[in-house]
Amino acid sequence: YGSAKVGLNAYNITLQQKEQNLASEIAQKKNAVEDLQAEVHSMQDKGRVLSMLGEQVQDNSGNIYVIGDSGQ
């Protein structure tokens, strides 16, 4: 009985450590997801995207943006 109790306690400690590691990993992934969502929201702003493209973008009729070759 005593050795079974010690064995189960050791196994319980191992499971608790795994649980803590998984909880930490989940928290890190949640932070990464939140960061990516914030980046997506900032990229949705048309002005930001157009400013990143710089000279590669031509404004055609005020609402159509042509990206790429300016010779056509």
Side-chain angles (χ1 to χ4, degrees):
Y1 171 76
S3 63
K5 185 174 180 180
V6 170
L8 287 175
N9 280 339
Y11 184 66
N12 204 13
I13 290 170
T14 302
L15 289 178
Q16 288 174 347
Q17 288 174 342
K18 285 183 181 180
E19 180 184 19
Q20 288 174 351
N21 290 342
L22 288 174
S24 173
E25 194 175 321
I26 289 170
Q28 289 174 351
K29 291 193 184 289
K30 282 183 179 180
N31 286 339
V33 167
E34 289 172 359
D35 291 344
L36 289 172
Q37 285 177 337
E39 187 175 340
V40 166
H41 287 297
S42 71
M43 293 298 291
Q44 287 177 340
D45 179 29
K46 179 177 68 173
R48 177 172 164 81
V49 174
L50 293 175
S51 69
M52 288 174 55
L53 293 171
E55 297 291 323
Q56 297 176 359
V57 177
Q58 295 176 347
D59 185 355
N60 186 359
S61 302
N63 290 323
I64 301 171
Y65 296 91
V66 180
I67 301 172
D69 190 9
S70 61
Q72 294 181 358

